[in-house]
Amino acid sequence: MPHILRIDTSAKPEGSVTASLLDQIEARIGKATNRRDLGRAAVPQIDGTWVGSNFTPSDQRTEAQKAALALSDELVAELQAADTILIAVPIYNFTVPGSLKAWIDLVCRVGVTFKYTETGPVGLLEGKRAIVAVASGGTKVGSEIDFATPYMRHILGFIGITDVTFIAADQLAVLGDESKTQAESQIETLAA
């Protein structure tokens, strides 16, 4: 049975399109084994203490540095354990929500989820699948003003996750239910 990690990021407590899409994706491919709702329980921004702790060799970290990295370690362990990662991405001001960016900063760790080589960075989370549910009011996915989906494809690839599928309910303010119907059709094509 696959291990599925679900990451919700909408700031809307009710009526989130991306949450609804993830519910439908789960119904199609299987229930999430683990969930994070960053819209309701945001993770903190990285700060100087976190950065200093992260760049201290693990065998030399103080107890305070280990504590500063504890949540990051937990989030990374969730990613490492997952076969499939479901991520909700409502497009806010042409890009990802701040809560998702904070999560990304906590999980992108040199020597843990990626490494540097002579030929450039190499992701260490290979062999995983990501399904990204996107919703937007006016931004068309793939357009010149969509900074969310290229960023997500890049950042997931950066940590080694190159099997990425986007399910888009975009331009909801323009297309309304038609956009949701198109996204639901995309979900029906997903393999379990």
Side-chain angles (χ1 to χ4, degrees), residues 2-85:
H3 186 107
I4 300 171
L5 171 62
R6 175 175 170 159
I7 308 291
D8 283 284
T9 64
S10 177
K12 291 173 72 174
E14 302 297 327
S16 164
V17 173
T18 56
S20 174
L21 292 175
L22 287 188
D23 291 343
Q24 294 172 57
I25 292 167
E26 280 188 271
R28 176 83 180 161
I29 69 165
K31 284 297 211 186
T33 313
N34 196 11
R35 296 171 174 262
R36 283 273 172 188
D37 188 340
L38 303 176
R40 294 176 193 236
V43 295
Q45 300 281 328
I46 61 172
D47 61 14
T49 300
W50 186 93
V51 171
S53 301
N54 187 47
F55 286 101
T56 299
S58 59
D59 62 342
Q60 296 175 26
R61 290 182 186 135
T62 65
E63 290 305 313
Q65 289 174 318
K66 291 176 188 174
L69 294 175
L71 175 60
S72 177
D73 290 339
E74 184 179 331
L75 298 174
V76 167
E78 290 172 356
L79 267 177
Q80 290 170 329
D83 302 304
T84 300
I85 300 100

Side-chain angles (χ1 to χ4, degrees), residues 76-161:
V76 167
E78 290 172 356
L79 267 177
Q80 290 170 329
D83 302 304
T84 300
I85 300 100
L86 308 179
I87 306 174
V89 180
I91 296 179
Y92 295 163
N93 300 314
F94 313 106
T95 192
V96 301
S99 61
L100 180 56
K101 177 62 169 80
W103 178 85
I104 288 167
D105 288 343
L106 289 169
V107 300
C108 290
R109 290 179 53 192
V110 67
V112 181
T113 57
F114 72 94
K115 66 181 178 179
Y116 290 114
T117 69
E118 291 177 4
T119 57
V122 174
L124 300 175
L125 298 178
E126 296 175 317
K128 299 178 185 301
R129 171 187 186 195
I131 303 172
V132 182
V134 180
S136 75
T139 302
K140 179 173 177 46
V141 167
S143 72
E144 68 279 356
I145 62 170
D146 169 18
F147 299 102
T149 61
Y151 174 70
M152 289 305 299
R153 184 176 302 282
H154 177 80
I155 206 71
L156 290 167
F158 181 72
I159 60 175
I161 303 168

Side-chain angles (χ1 to χ4, degrees), residues 164-179:
V164 181
T165 302
F166 289 93
I167 304 294
D170 57 352
Q171 295 185 294
L172 287 161
V174 177
L175 301 173
D177 287 341
E178 178 185 340
S179 183

